[in-house]
Amino acid sequence: MAAYVIVDVEVTDPVKFAEYGGQVPRTVEQYGGKYLVRGGSLEQFEGVWEPNRLVVIEFENMDNAKNWYSSREYEGPIKLRHKSAETNVVFVEGI
């Protein structure tokens, strides 16, 4: 069953975040992931959630998503993300 990593990002340091953004795609690909949404314009239609910048990454299954997130390859980039942005991250199984 497919799994999705959904991230709401508020960038606090654009320079460091750009460095992060340049490193992450190859780590995602190594674990079979693919970007479905990576920023872009968004419009809020209902509710109180006001996301800043949304990212959605699809993986073949939840294990691949979790393995990517906790991988040695993502270890350096995640530290950059923590220094350059405030984020909310959820993992969800899809269909």
Side-chain angles (χ1 to χ4, degrees):
M1 177 179 301
Y4 302 88
V5 177
I6 302 171
V7 186
D8 175 14
V9 181
E10 181 180 350
V11 176
T12 57
D13 184 333
V15 173
K16 281 185 185 171
F17 192 78
E19 186 179 345
Y20 164 80
Q23 295 178 14
V24 178
R26 73 175 185 272
T27 70
V28 168
E29 290 172 10
Q30 284 179 288
Y31 287 83
K34 72 174 184 177
Y35 285 95
L36 300 179
V37 175
R38 191 173 182 198
S41 65
L42 82 108
E43 295 181 45
Q44 180 182 0
F45 279 83
E46 289 188 38
V48 296
W49 180 35
E50 295 181 29
N52 294 284
R53 179 180 194 278
L54 283 178
V55 177
V56 179
I57 307 170
E58 179 182 46
F59 289 89
E60 184 177 332
N61 54 52
M62 187 65 80
D63 285 341
N64 287 10
K66 289 178 180 179
N67 288 338
W68 163 72
Y69 195 80
S70 62
S71 71
R72 184 174 32 103
E73 294 85 359
Y74 189 53
E75 185 177 288
I78 199 172
K79 288 177 184 176
L80 274 174
R81 180 170 56 82
H82 289 157
K83 291 178 183 178
S84 63
E86 297 292 325
T87 56
N88 293 297
V89 180
V90 296
F91 288 50
V92 61
E93 286 186 324
I95 52 173

